[in-house]
Amino acid sequence: MKLTGAEILLECLLEQQVDTVFGYPGGAVLNIYDALYQYADRIRHIRTAHEQGAAHAADGYARSSGKTGVCIATSGPGATNLVTGLATAYMDSVPMVAITGNVARPLLGLDSFQEVDITGITMPVTKHNFLVREVGDLADTVREAFAIAQSGRKGPVLIDIPKDVTAAECEYTGREPLPPEDTPMPSERRMKAALELLMHSERPFIYAGGGVILSEAAGELHRLAAALDAPVACSLMCQGGYDQYDGRYVGMLGMHGTKTAALALHECDLLVAIGTRFSDRVTCNAGLFAKNCKVLHIDIDTAEFGKNVDAALRLRGNAREILAALLPALPQREHGDWMARITRWQREYPLVQSAPHPDAVTPKELLETLDALTGSEAILTTEVGQHQMWAAQFYRFRRPRQFITSGGLGTMGFGLGAAMGAQLANPGKQVVNIAGDGSFLMNANELSTAARYNIPLIELILNNGVLGMVRQWQKLFYENRFSHTTLEKPVDYELLAKAYGVPAYTIAERAQIEPVLRQALGEKGPVLVNCLIDMDQNVLPMVPAGAPVEDIILEM
């Protein structure tokens, strides 16, 4: 049948089982939006307040569901407003397809109104991007984009479509989606070498990264830890990849990790690193990282091997498939003395947080109360800063895709859009965005989107009146010169929320934590909770920049 380019685009989205897209209309995508009007019963469109919010919402939808998120923007500033969201997804290996309109083909390259070379701009922050010059190429381009987004190390793909291509007509024939490309398994020789390392280790330590979640390997990770009789630490991106109620879990490793994880790294004889790129926030000083042990590194991306940390053995492939192949050949190991040391360290070095006065709200008590009230079952999104680390430290995640945060790029303003995407992908789940007041003000306009579509999420602001993480560094390393980190913005957060039609509450003292959270959790639509905390509440433990992971600060 003959369809316009815009109709072909939407038919291809339906082929990929896309049911929700996030975007903002404009001149170059008018034909696409006209088609969306006709397809409204099959594809739900969420109009965000800003294109960056659309990208973050598509990202949150993808991270929380495992599906490919989709966002749409017009040419020029609409397209460039997606760049931060694309870079956020790229750094954290999130499958997304961004669709941008552009000026008509005869106007390309002429500095036309709202024209920009978005494929050139986004080349460094996408897995691949396309400029579709012929309507006959559109369908196959869309199919290829979705396959690329989900193949190998996942990531965002951009499709730029000139306006006249969306208006042109072409024959369309539906097809089944292209499967993601298979990732080859390591050689039998390498697999045997890995088994030798695992079987001869007396003090093994498992470090799991975001690749565990992306490859759906949480079950295999749990079985490996049991078979190997080893403690497990998770990166920020792998929160929920291992059940934190399990006694083997020792917390995060790295700059804001636990003392137990740091000691386990120092004392282990084998570090089994799965689906991790060894970020500088984990290694702290890569030259001193894991120098007392052998490293077995399992990852899907060969570019990550040896980039930051050398390994005795590298296994390239899908983490779930590799672990599934290793487990049947791995005999049950027993490391009673090693696990007893781990348990002793856990008792000696628990995560604690003092309050400046008895009635003060501490992030620890706030998040532990939220954890208890939600039965550890909520999906938490975060902005970036101290609140992000506290959420990872004090909420106990039980399964993958519960914790959604910008780890690689560290994008302030990410969480609220991501929370909307996560809730729309998981309508039966409770979704809470943990925000700092600085991050919240970056994209507070998306409260209007949550209100417009009655998206039932909680915006929980840990309000300390400062850019807390930067202030903490100024305190430690800049002799308390708090240059431009005190916000001093006279914002009434309850009034701001109510202006958007969102109910709001304030927590000012400890006694209000549980009743206010209960009330917020009972709301049927979006709600804002403004929680006042002390500006000098710090994220601890902390490893100073350039120090080895073991040199961890427990008190300030």
Side-chain angles (χ1 to χ4, degrees), residues 29 31 57 71-72 78 80 211 220 227 240 288 327 357 379 424 465 475 504 539 545:
V29 288
N31 295 324
C71 57
I72 301 174
T80 59
E220 287 75 12
L288 300 174
L327 281 165
H357 57 83
I379 295 173
L424 290 166
K475 185 185 300 183
V539 177

Side-chain angles (χ1 to χ4, degrees), residues 191 194-195 198 296 298 315 321-330:
M191 294 292 282
L195 279 170
L198 294 172
L296 168 59
I298 300 171
L315 297 182
E321 293 173 1
I322 290 174
L323 294 183
L326 288 172
L327 281 165
L330 180 65

Side-chain angles (χ1 to χ4, degrees), residues 401-416:
R401 306 193 185 280
Q402 270 190 277
F403 184 67
I404 297 168
T405 194
S406 172
L409 196 65
T411 305
M412 294 175 68
F414 166 79
L416 181 51

Side-chain angles (χ1 to χ4, degrees), residues 249-388:
Y249 183 68
V250 297
M252 287 194 297
L253 177 67
M255 180 172 285
H256 295 295
T258 64
K259 178 74 170 179
T260 300
L263 289 169
L265 176 68
H266 188 261
E267 298 295 329
C268 73
D269 62 2
L270 176 67
L271 177 66
V272 184
I274 307 168
T276 175
R277 60 189 180 85
F278 289 118
S279 156
D280 60 293
R281 284 299 191 260
V282 171
T283 61
C284 297
N285 185 325
L288 300 174
F289 185 84
K291 289 304 180 185
N292 301 325
C293 64
K294 293 180 179 178
V295 177
L296 168 59
H297 191 183
I298 300 171
D299 202 83
I300 202 166
D301 187 355
T302 53
E304 298 302 338
F305 291 140
K307 186 174 79 174
N308 296 318
V309 172
D310 288 329
L313 182 64
R314 306 162 179 178
L315 297 182
R316 189 251 174 167
N318 179 286
R320 179 178 55 80
E321 293 173 1
I322 290 174
L323 294 183
L326 288 172
L327 281 165
L330 180 65
Q332 179 63 50
R333 305 298 314 283
E334 300 292 340
H335 299 116
D337 291 345
W338 174 233
M339 289 307 301
R341 291 167 69 184
I342 296 294
T343 301
R344 186 177 73 250
W345 290 334
Q346 288 175 309
R347 288 196 303 265
E348 290 177 2
Y349 303 108
L351 286 173
V352 296
Q353 194 172 69
S354 59
H357 57 83
D359 292 330
V361 177
T362 64
K364 182 176 187 290
E365 185 172 0
L366 177 74
L367 287 156
E368 287 178 345
T369 303
L370 178 66
D371 182 43
L373 292 176
T374 57
S376 303
E377 291 290 341
I379 295 173
L380 264 58
T381 64
T382 81
E383 307 293 348
V384 171
Q386 289 179 314
H387 57 278
Q388 176 189 32

Side-chain angles (χ1 to χ4, degrees), residues 385-404:
Q386 289 179 314
H387 57 278
Q388 176 189 32
M389 296 298 111
W390 288 324
Q393 288 177 331
F394 300 128
Y395 195 95
R396 300 177 75 182
F397 300 97
R398 305 213 65 176
R399 56 186 53 86
R401 306 193 185 280
Q402 270 190 277
F403 184 67
I404 297 168

Side-chain angles (χ1 to χ4, degrees), residues 4-5 39 47 51-52 60 68 70 77 132 169 224 244-245 285 287 353 398 403 480 505 522 524:
T4 67
Y39 283 70
R47 188 190 66 242
E51 291 90 353
Q52 184 179 338
T68 302
V70 180
V132 182
E169 292 188 338
L224 175 68
Q244 296 183 6
Y245 281 81
N285 185 325
Q353 194 172 69
R398 305 213 65 176
F403 184 67
N480 293 323
Y505 308 98
K524 302 302 183 187

Side-chain angles (χ1 to χ4, degrees), residues 120-174:
I121 289 169
T122 61
M123 189 177 295
V125 293
T126 54
K127 279 189 73 176
H128 196 77
N129 59 33
F130 299 89
L131 172 60
V132 182
R133 293 183 178 272
E134 300 294 336
V135 67
D137 298 331
L138 179 57
D140 286 343
T141 299
V142 174
R143 292 163 184 148
E144 186 178 357
F146 275 84
I148 290 171
Q150 287 283 359
S151 294
R153 182 172 178 171
K154 303 176 194 295
V157 179
L158 180 134
I159 307 170
D160 192 37
I161 314 173
K163 186 176 182 179
D164 57 333
V165 173
T166 63
E169 292 188 338
C170 180
E171 285 293 326
Y172 163 79
T173 302

